[in-house]
Every structure is written in structure tokens, then in C-alpha cells.
Amino acid sequence: MERREQIEYLIGRLLEEIPQFKTQAAAFPSEYPARRRLLRSLMNLRPPLPLDTDFLRVQDELLAAEREERGAVDADSLPTVPGYPKLALWQGDITRLRADAIVNAANSALLGCFVPCHGCIDNAIHSAAGLQLREECRELMAAQGHEEPNGRAKLTGGYNLPAKYVLHTVGPVIRGQVTARDREELASCYRSCLELAEEHGLESIAFCCISTGEFHFPNREAAQIAVGTVTEALQDMKSVKRVIFNVFQDRDRKIYADLLGGGAAGGAALGL
């Protein structure tokens, strides 16, 4: 199938499963960007349902082609921070990183974001990975039998991501002043991800800025906890050889560069 045919096929199949959105779908323009946005929206809205082999084949072909177009960034190629031989800082889209694992800042349901095309990292990771990721998360949560507590971590496949695996962790939501419990739960997110990576023999892991943004943890304090927790935990790690602090916004790049003793390096990959 051509790219446009793939998109229309997938839209049609999704509307068969969730027909309540047909009216809204009909309002989308016919131009390619709008049709691709509609497809992402429907994938975001689709609840965990049995996955059809033909659907997955077309979805995977589309997402793989888009992955190649975006270009993967090899985590092992990123320059490390002087004085921190296991740390790197990279500004960009975490779904482009080819690492053993990337970290997803999830919500307690651990099923991904259901808000169409929402700007959160949970939505971005699930959208790039494909519907298999939501299904695996559903299986994990069904086996667990309750929502995911803050500060723990779960491992899933990466599917159509360049990363082999995704580590899902739920950070604290800040409502008012940051408490000692909030700080400990955030630190636990980083420790739990590293411990799970170590348990599975993973060598490279990329952390997003957990609990900032939608969860409102102050950016600088969150970064201080991230750097302090990771550098301490790495002292006891044998498998994990590379940790990337992935940032998307300029302000987070500046915060991490300051905390790690670096200057204003140019480019997306920052060797501080």
C-alpha cells in the first residue's frame, strides 16, 4: 500500500471498532496532515481490544517508515559529560533514541494517554510504538489488579520505537507545595527504573523529565533529584553503562547543563 492508503485503511478499521467517533472523524479535512492526525487521534482513543494481524501489519509498516524518516539517534554515540563517564545529556524527541530502554512518565492506569494528540510524553511514546504497547500494558495491569503506585517501574517492549524496551513509571502530581513524600516518590521513580534495567541486563537507558510538565513538579528541583539519585544509584550498577538525560525544552537543557557543570553547547547532542 502507498502511505495514504495505509492511513485510510487504518482509519477505517479503527472506526469499525470505535464507531462512536465517526461523526467527529467525518469533519477532518482530506489533506494528508489532517488524515494522519485523525489516525493518531483514533489510536489514542482506542481502548484495549483484541489486535488484528492485518491491522498490525499495516500499522507496523507505516510506523517503521515514519521512524526511518525521523531518523534514530544512537544512545551510545552521544558524548558523555566530563567527570560523569556514564552520563549524557540530549535535547530532542525521546522516541528517536536507539537505547536499550527509554523511560515513559506514565499515569497510574499505565495504559497510555487517551487524549487525542495530547502533547505529553506518554502520548508520544504510545503513538510511535503502536497499539501493541497499550495491549501489553493492559495485560500487566490486569495481572497486577490495581493501579500503579507512584515510584515503581514496569518494563514492556518498545515495538515500533528504536528503543528495545520502555520503562514505565508514575511520578508524583504536585498540588501546591512540594512535600518530602513527593521528593522521595520522584527519586524512587529513577531508582526503580535503574534497578529494573539492571535486573534485565540493559546497558543504556534514557530518562525523560519525570513529573514535570503536566504533573507540575518544579523543573529545577526535579532535575536536582534526577541527577543526585542517578549518580548515586549508578555506583552500584554493573549492567547499566550509559544514562541519558533526555530534555525537550530549552529551559530543561539549561538546568541540566548547569547542574552537570556544563556550558551552552550547541546542537541537540550536548557533550558538556
Side-chain angles (χ1 to χ4, degrees):
M1 292 184 186
E2 297 292 332
R3 182 75 58 88
R4 183 64 178 255
E5 292 175 314
Q6 291 173 327
I7 290 172
E8 295 302 329
Y9 169 81
L10 296 171
I11 289 172
R13 292 296 305 274
L14 288 168
L15 288 174
E16 290 174 4
E17 294 182 319
I18 45 176
Q20 64 269 33
F21 297 109
K22 284 186 176 179
T23 300
Q24 295 96 314
F28 274 71
S30 60
E31 290 79 13
Y32 178 87
R35 305 307 289 177
R36 184 60 184 90
R37 184 174 179 84
L38 172 59
L39 174 58
R40 176 170 173 172
S41 298
L42 293 172
M43 291 174 68
N44 296 156
L45 288 164
R46 181 188 186 271
L49 295 167
L51 296 169
D52 176 77
T53 302
D54 289 336
F55 178 95
L56 290 181
R57 175 180 54 80
V58 176
Q59 175 210 250
D60 290 353
E61 289 174 357
L62 173 65
L63 294 181
E66 292 178 341
R67 180 185 67 224
E68 294 305 311
E69 287 176 357
R70 289 195 302 271
V73 176
D74 192 343
D76 291 336
S77 71
L78 299 176
T80 56
V81 179
Y84 299 88
K86 289 188 175 183
L87 299 183
L89 174 61
W90 185 73
Q91 182 177 14
D93 178 357
I94 200 170
T95 68
R96 294 180 58 208
L97 278 176
R98 183 183 290 113
D100 284 347
I102 60 173
V103 173
N104 178 31
N107 57 54
S108 60
L110 220 73
L111 295 176
C113 174
F114 285 84
V115 180
C117 298
H118 191 250
C120 67
I121 194 167
D122 199 10
N123 191 299
I125 288 175
H126 274 263
S127 296
L131 293 180
Q132 301 98 314
L133 182 55
R134 177 166 285 173
E135 176 58 20
E136 185 176 359
C137 288
R138 182 201 66 78
E139 293 173 357
L140 288 173
M141 297 306 288
Q144 178 166 282
H146 57 80
E147 290 192 337
E148 183 75 354
N150 291 359
R152 299 203 328 208
K154 283 195 166 47
L155 180 79
T156 66
Y159 299 101
N160 291 289
L161 294 162
K164 297 176 185 176
Y165 300 100
V166 179
L167 288 160
H168 306 263
T169 191
V170 183
V173 179
I174 305 303
R175 300 180 178 90
Q177 296 295 316
V178 178
T179 66
R181 179 175 179 176
D182 295 328
R183 297 184 185 97
E184 174 50 36
E185 286 182 346
L186 183 58
S188 181
C189 288
Y190 287 92
R191 283 195 300 268
S192 295
C193 287
L194 286 169
E195 289 167 0
L196 194 53
E198 183 79 3
E199 177 185 334
H200 287 268
L202 307 186
E203 295 187 357
S204 58
I205 174 174
F207 282 103
C208 61
C209 300
I210 302 168
S211 272
T212 58
E214 295 294 321
F215 282 17
H216 306 298
F217 208 110
N219 295 62
R220 176 167 288 275
E221 187 171 4
Q224 290 170 336
I225 292 170
V227 171
T229 304
V230 168
T231 52
E232 181 179 356
L234 281 175
Q235 295 176 19
D236 299 320
M237 299 280 162
K238 295 181 179 179
S239 172
V240 179
K241 296 180 173 60
R242 175 69 62 92
V243 171
I244 300 97
F245 290 116
N246 168 249
V247 299
F248 193 73
Q249 299 183 21
D250 288 343
R251 65 172 176 174
D252 288 315
R253 174 184 60 80
K254 293 174 182 176
I255 288 170
Y256 274 89
D258 179 55
L259 291 174
L260 294 168
L270 306 177
L272 306 177

